Amino acid sequence: MEVVQASACEVEQAPRAFRGAWPRATNTWLLILLAGLIPLVGRAVLIPVLGIPKPAIQDEFAYLLAADTFASGRLTNPTHPMAEHFETLQELFHPTYASKYPPLSSLAMAFGQKLFGEPWIGVWLGMGVLCATLCWSLLGWLPRAWALAGTLIAILRIGIVSYWTETYWGGSWAAIGGALVIGAVPRLIRRPRAATALALAAGLGILANTRPYEGLLLAVACLGYLTLALVRRRIGFGRLTRSVILPMAALLAPVFAWMGYYNYRVTGRALEMPYMAYDKQYTVWSPFLWQTQRRPAPAYSNSVTRDFWLVAVESEYQFARNHLLKTHVSDLLGMARFFLGWPIVLSMLAFAVPLSKNPKARRAFLLCTVFYAGCAMDARLFPHYAAPATALVYVLAAYALRTGWRHSPGSPGERRMLAGGVVALFVVTTAVGLFTPKNRFYFSATDYHVKAKRAHAEDRLLHEPGQHLVLVQYGPHHDPWEELVYNPADIDGSRIVWAHSLGSEKDSELIHYYGNRDVWLLEEDGEVKLKRYFD
């Protein structure tokens, strides 16, 4: 991969704070390494305060199921003979028992589970890889000092503590794939090289195995821009074939072959992803706005799954479709808060006019716009959905800071004071934002009801001798989004087995199947009550 060296002119244009540090960071690869180490060390230092995150959201349990499956040396699991008791949200049970999500994020967590006994280690390491990759990506677009500024924004905003580090459903690996693609494009335009082409291919492979739809949008935008730029440069087809096309094909061919094999093992069809198989079996509404017809409801095995898809999700999708502008504005504001924070956003708006005169900033903005236009076809847009374009967000933020430094009124001393004020405000608002009610679950499981409910029951059962079967029974006040029935890959080998209560006759069959286990009844109706089943 090509490393971009900064010229003396570029160094001179940087703020004094970065110029003073320049001699200590002359090795670009050392700079990239440091960008990856800072968030790792920062979050490791916080382990005594934050601990290891506990899963709470249904998606997290699905990713962890895949991680446990991969760590066990399997790609998927056989369907359990009592599957209707275990059928739950975001997981396939037919034709095999597996997560519906693409596998790469879970493979990283499986690495953490297998080597260190803790899947979160994979999440933690992934964030370090992301910040290092973002630094490399920004170096392809910006002078080194401003690439460093954009990287530091990312580290402080999402790299040390964010929902991408504190949950198991964040967007780190999709962002890594996007950063490789985004960073490779300007390098290939300047000089087509096999190493850079391999980075581009690796990014495409990662996107295909993390967020396929949004990854495809980014790939179309970036490859289209790259193709037009190379045509304008009149680079010979033979050189492009040797330097770009053949290296990419050599890497992507086995990647897509493996994807087909994985799909075949999970769904029985090489071209049917687990996500597609899950949608066919459970969903009635497509998240895409162009599909306006409600599909016929399938025969659900339990009322929990039925209420989730026919009541909770249908209500949310209908609201999003009926209030499209309001929903998208809200989602955009949420992403702005997540990726940048208001001081940086306001700085970008304040210098939008001079920023628009920068050709590279215009190209980055155009790529962002094309990407968003495709993402807007989804009824909702969360930060991990937009993860493939993460590097573009920080490219634009860094260009905005660079433009602000050049075009701010006043003397150099006044510009330094203004820059210092923006930095201070950014740091303070980022730190304070961690303690908002929405983010309190970072610091305490009791602040996130699903964690507290499940963790309370688990803690009690782990202090009881033997193996346990927990039959979960929901009351009329149960929130359909708060599912408690999730199990690891080897259900029968688990010390605690969680199952839905489906009525006395079917429950008796399950109890008979697990004849050597203590049986418990967990009643959840806003509050949790755990008692022995036969009391």
Side-chain angles (χ1 to χ4, degrees), residues 39-63:
L40 294 181
V41 174
R43 182 58 179 86
V45 168
L46 292 174
I47 285 179
V49 179
L50 300 182
I52 303 297
K54 299 288 186 183
I57 305 296
Q58 52 194 249
D59 307 69
E60 295 182 86
F61 290 103
Y63 279 108

Side-chain angles (χ1 to χ4, degrees), residues 47-355:
I47 285 179
V49 179
L50 300 182
I52 303 297
K54 299 288 186 183
I57 305 296
Q58 52 194 249
D59 307 69
E60 295 182 86
F61 290 103
Y63 279 108
L64 287 170
L65 168 62
D68 190 42
T69 302
F70 300 149
S72 302
R74 299 185 300 275
L75 293 180
T76 188
N77 308 283
T79 299
H80 196 279
M82 297 287 180
E84 60 181 338
H85 284 276
F86 306 118
E87 205 164 359
T88 188
L89 307 175
Q90 318 308 345
E91 294 179 359
L92 270 176
F93 283 83
H94 302 282
T96 62
Y97 171 42
S99 169
K100 77 173 190 179
Y101 290 112
L104 186 58
S105 297
S106 294
L107 282 169
M109 288 187 274
F111 173 82
Q113 180 173 328
K114 189 69 175 178
L115 269 66
F116 304 100
E118 176 53 63
W120 181 76
I121 296 296
V123 177
W124 175 68
L125 291 173
M127 183 53 73
V129 175
L130 170 58
C131 290
T133 310
L134 283 174
C135 184
W136 176 83
S137 184
L138 267 63
L139 284 166
W141 286 81
L142 291 139
R144 193 189 310 198
W146 296 106
L148 174 61
T151 304
L152 288 176
I153 294 172
I155 290 172
L156 292 174
R157 197 69 200 173
I158 67 174
I160 299 175
V161 179
S162 70
Y163 89 84
W164 285 11
T165 65
E166 305 309 305
T167 70
Y168 299 86
W169 67 324
S172 295
W173 282 98
I176 290 168
L180 288 171
V181 172
I182 292 161
V185 166
R187 289 174 166 90
L188 287 172
I189 292 172
R190 286 192 294 268
R191 183 185 173 193
R193 297 176 69 239
T196 310
L198 288 173
L200 175 60
L204 294 174
I206 291 171
L207 290 173
N209 285 279
T210 49
R211 300 232 36 116
Y213 173 69
E214 294 85 359
L216 178 62
L217 294 175
L218 184 73
V220 169
C222 288
L223 292 179
Y225 167 52
L226 174 62
T227 301
L228 289 174
L230 292 177
V231 168
R232 287 177 181 172
R233 288 197 57 195
R234 300 180 182 276
I235 296 175
F237 182 74
R239 181 185 173 190
L240 282 179
T241 301
R242 293 190 304 272
S243 301
V244 178
I245 298 174
L246 288 179
M248 290 182 64
L251 181 58
L252 288 175
V255 168
F256 287 115
W258 182 87
M259 290 174 61
Y261 178 68
Y262 176 74
N263 292 340
Y264 174 75
R265 290 294 305 276
V266 176
T267 68
R269 295 189 177 102
L271 299 180
E272 183 175 58
M273 294 185 294
Y275 202 106
M276 297 163 59
Y278 184 89
D279 273 5
K280 287 181 181 178
Q281 294 180 32
Y282 293 99
T283 66
V284 296
W285 282 103
S286 168
F288 296 115
L289 297 176
W290 65 74
Q291 296 178 345
T292 58
Q293 295 299 315
R294 183 183 188 274
R295 292 192 287 262
Y300 296 106
S301 64
N302 58 67
S303 59
V304 178
T305 310
R306 183 184 65 245
D307 290 346
F308 178 77
W309 289 109
L310 299 188
V311 179
V313 172
E314 184 164 0
S315 174
E316 181 177 276
Y317 279 3
Q318 285 295 88
F319 180 87
R321 290 167 184 270
N322 294 337
H323 303 85
L324 194 58
L325 180 60
K326 177 181 179 181
T327 300
H328 277 286
V329 169
S330 174
D331 290 345
L332 278 172
L333 292 176
M335 287 193 294
R337 286 193 299 269
F338 176 77
F339 286 113
L340 298 172
W342 294 122
I344 303 299
V345 172
L346 292 176
S347 298
M348 295 173 72
L349 294 175
F351 297 103
V353 173
L355 181 63

Side-chain angles (χ1 to χ4, degrees), residues 299-467:
Y300 296 106
S301 64
N302 58 67
S303 59
V304 178
T305 310
R306 183 184 65 245
D307 290 346
F308 178 77
W309 289 109
L310 299 188
V311 179
V313 172
E314 184 164 0
S315 174
E316 181 177 276
Y317 279 3
Q318 285 295 88
F319 180 87
R321 290 167 184 270
N322 294 337
H323 303 85
L324 194 58
L325 180 60
K326 177 181 179 181
T327 300
H328 277 286
V329 169
S330 174
D331 290 345
L332 278 172
L333 292 176
M335 287 193 294
R337 286 193 299 269
F338 176 77
F339 286 113
L340 298 172
W342 294 122
I344 303 299
V345 172
L346 292 176
S347 298
M348 295 173 72
L349 294 175
F351 297 103
V353 173
L355 181 63
S356 66
K357 298 176 182 178
N358 184 313
K360 289 186 178 179
R362 286 201 306 269
R363 292 170 196 141
F365 181 76
L366 177 62
L367 292 176
C368 259
T369 302
V370 173
F371 175 79
Y372 175 75
C375 290
M377 294 297 101
D378 197 319
R380 298 300 311 272
L381 185 58
F382 300 104
H384 58 284
Y385 289 17
T390 299
L392 284 175
V393 173
Y394 293 112
V395 165
L396 287 171
Y399 271 124
L401 294 178
R402 185 173 184 241
T403 302
W405 180 259
R406 288 177 165 182
H407 294 274
S408 294
S411 66
E414 291 171 332
R415 290 208 308 271
R416 284 195 293 271
M417 289 183 61
L418 178 62
V422 171
V423 170
L425 188 60
F426 168 73
V427 172
V428 169
T429 55
T430 297
V432 171
L434 296 176
F435 296 92
T436 60
K438 184 178 180 180
N439 293 334
R440 284 184 304 170
F441 76 95
Y442 293 161
F443 302 94
S444 173
T446 59
D447 283 324
Y448 208 114
H449 32 263
V450 180
K451 288 184 182 180
K453 289 174 182 178
R454 187 175 166 105
H456 176 77
E458 279 184 328
D459 288 344
R460 177 179 172 184
L461 294 175
L462 289 174
H463 287 87
E464 296 282 344
Q467 295 182 313

